[in-house]
Amino acid sequence: MANDGASPRQLKQEMLDYLLAIKTRQQAFSFRIIAARLRANRMPTARGYNELLPKYEALPLANPSLGEYLIVIKALYLDSILYSRRAVAFYDVPEEQAARMPRALESLVDDGNQFAGKFPLPISPSMLRRAGYNGKFVRVSVHDGVIRAIACAKRSYRERKPIEVDLLDDDAKAALSDFDEVIGIKHGWVQGFDYVEFNPENRRLSVHLDICCPLGQDDFKQARMYYVQRINEACGVEQGADTSIVLPRNLFAYVQKFYDDSDGTVGRLGHATGTDSVKEERMRGRRKDLRQEPFHKKGLEEIKTTDSYAIRKSWPVESAQNSPTIELPGHFADAGDPDAAIYYAVFEQCSNEADYNMLAGKLA
């Protein structure tokens, strides 16, 4: 993180590069977290990127704090690509494969792929447009004995936005005059930062998929299977339940466990009642607990039995504004099914590694 004798102009430009890179991750990393971190370090902040970026563009080159500002912004960006909104799945690795895992993960890195040269910054939009959708591994690191291999991938999205007809020219207004509402659909690409982690101590592998744009269950499954297949091949093991990684751990039991455990705050619950109705209950406030809501409590007293199938639970950080959250996205068809399965959890609202590790510990 040293500045290596860079000039003030270079420091400022690098700082702006990282701020722009953070902006590309706004669907996965809350601006509230960014503003709180900047405020805590007595740096310029704002209510959004449109106000924030001009403040940093206007910083004079004579400002003696440019180097310190850059260190904070770099750390913010790295947290945004590692601990942002993610779909996380856990695998138990067979003993035979676990012994090969460290070398296998290192072998997956390709320093010549289009993402590696710019990492950790994203590549240009033109390069991303030409990139493939399958992730390319760019770095391997070891921290506290846990091996992490980071991969970059192209993700596509379709965004629907209302079009303000009054802002269009007269010809366009006339052509659209019969429509009550006009919706535009924008298609684009964003760079995702996925990673896999392997803990040799407990032979646990986890796959962390970057939700940098809207993704569905099929997207998560396809990406997980791709990374697992790459790892199996790198380990040189044949596909099989006893020799290779196959299915993620089933997290369904944590739905009821999270509800029953008194800690944290339940913000959403999906459950099927003994009277054959399906309930999707949620709280409006992020820090309000559904379990304490009078209508919910009275309803449970009346129906007697219910089968939970999905939950969203958070553990608010008292000293900060964020509430690290786990969502287990089950389906109502799974309610009461002894074979029900949830193969991934969604982690949200983490501001740093400590928040993220706390959530992972809830699923240990």
Side-chain angles (χ1 to χ4, degrees):
M1 301 291 284
N3 295 319
D4 298 326
S7 70
R9 188 176 301 279
Q10 290 171 325
L11 292 175
K12 182 176 175 179
Q13 184 57 56
E14 191 173 3
M15 184 166 49
L16 292 172
D17 290 343
Y18 274 92
L19 282 172
L20 288 170
I22 294 173
K23 183 182 178 182
T24 66
R25 302 195 49 73
Q26 56 190 305
Q27 290 199 40
F29 201 68
S30 170
F31 187 83
R32 287 193 302 270
I33 294 173
I34 294 162
R37 184 88 65 89
L38 296 176
R39 193 177 302 114
N41 285 277
R42 300 183 178 180
M43 295 170 59
T45 187
R47 292 174 296 180
Y49 288 105
N50 290 338
E51 295 180 8
L52 184 69
L53 289 168
K55 287 187 177 183
Y56 283 86
E57 290 170 351
L59 287 175
L61 295 179
N63 189 317
S65 299
L66 291 178
E68 287 76 10
Y69 287 2
L70 177 58
I71 290 173
V72 173
I73 290 171
K74 275 187 174 181
L76 252 176
Y77 174 70
L78 291 175
D79 283 346
S80 82
I81 66 173
L82 294 175
Y83 312 118
S84 53
R85 187 167 186 254
R86 294 182 171 271
V88 186
F90 302 89
Y91 296 79
D92 296 312
V93 179
E95 187 171 358
E96 175 186 345
Q97 188 167 355
R100 308 176 186 179
M101 188 66 71
R103 183 170 295 181
L105 291 178
E106 289 183 7
S107 73
L108 290 173
V109 173
D110 175 12
D111 292 329
N113 73 65
Q114 63 267 55
F115 298 104
K118 287 280 289 181
F119 183 83
L121 288 171
I123 60 177
S124 68
S126 60
M127 288 182 65
L128 185 63
R129 191 177 298 113
R130 297 192 300 270
Y133 286 98
N134 287 332
K136 302 291 186 181
F137 284 93
V138 295
R139 291 289 188 280
V140 169
S141 62
V142 181
H143 181 62
D144 291 336
V146 177
I147 306 165
R148 174 187 291 157
I150 300 177
C152 296
K154 179 172 77 174
R155 299 259 156 77
S156 62
Y157 65 88
R158 289 168 62 87
E159 185 178 18
R160 295 167 56 90
K161 282 190 174 182
I163 294 176
E164 298 287 342
V165 177
D166 291 341
L167 300 179
L168 302 177
D169 59 41
D170 292 340
D171 289 341
K173 288 180 184 178
L176 299 171
S177 61
D178 292 335
F179 294 89
D180 295 327
E181 186 178 16
V182 177
I183 302 293
I185 299 178
K186 177 184 177 182
H187 178 265
W189 297 274
V190 63
Q191 182 171 329
F193 293 82
D194 305 325
Y195 59 90
V196 297
E197 287 188 338
F198 176 64
N199 187 338
E201 186 175 334
N202 57 16
R203 303 206 315 268
R204 179 70 46 78
L205 180 87
S206 52
V207 178
H208 306 249
L209 303 177
D210 187 5
I211 311 179
C212 51
C213 63
L215 297 172
Q217 291 196 18
D218 288 343
D219 299 312
F220 296 141
K221 181 178 180 180
Q222 183 176 354
R224 287 198 314 268
M225 290 178 64
Y226 166 76
Y227 288 125
V228 167
Q229 181 180 358
R230 291 291 312 278
I231 292 169
N232 282 334
E233 291 172 353
C235 287
V237 296
E238 295 183 3
Q239 188 75 16
D242 298 326
T243 59
S244 62
I245 308 166
V246 183
L247 283 176
R249 286 176 54 213
N250 186 355
L251 304 176
F252 189 84
Y254 285 94
V255 175
Q256 192 61 46
K257 182 181 186 303
F258 282 174
Y259 184 87
D260 292 338
D261 289 348
S262 59
D263 65 341
T265 301
V266 174
R268 184 183 306 163
L269 183 71
H271 58 112
T273 74
T275 57
D276 292 332
S277 64
V278 175
K279 306 292 185 186
E280 294 275 357
E281 299 183 82
R282 59 182 295 175
M283 298 300 290
R284 293 175 64 182
R286 288 188 299 122
R287 298 200 174 208
K288 294 183 178 179
D289 196 332
L290 176 68
R291 294 171 296 184
Q292 305 305 318
E293 197 273 326
F295 188 85
H296 173 77
K297 293 172 68 175
K298 188 67 175 177
L300 289 184
E301 291 173 4
E302 293 292 331
I303 61 177
K304 307 301 181 186
T305 60
T306 189
D307 292 309
S308 301
Y309 59 83
I311 196 167
R312 179 181 173 87
K313 187 173 183 179
S314 60
W315 291 264
V317 179
E318 295 301 326
S319 60
Q321 297 183 6
N322 63 308
S323 299
T325 300
I326 292 177
E327 180 174 1
L328 295 172
H331 189 271
F332 68 83
D334 295 327
D337 184 351
D339 297 321
I342 297 175
Y343 288 127
Y344 68 92
V346 176
F347 287 13
E348 297 181 90
Q349 287 295 316
C350 295
S351 65
N352 52 34
E353 182 180 14
D355 289 351
Y356 200 86
N357 288 343
M358 182 269 291
L359 292 186
K362 300 293 182 183
L363 297 168

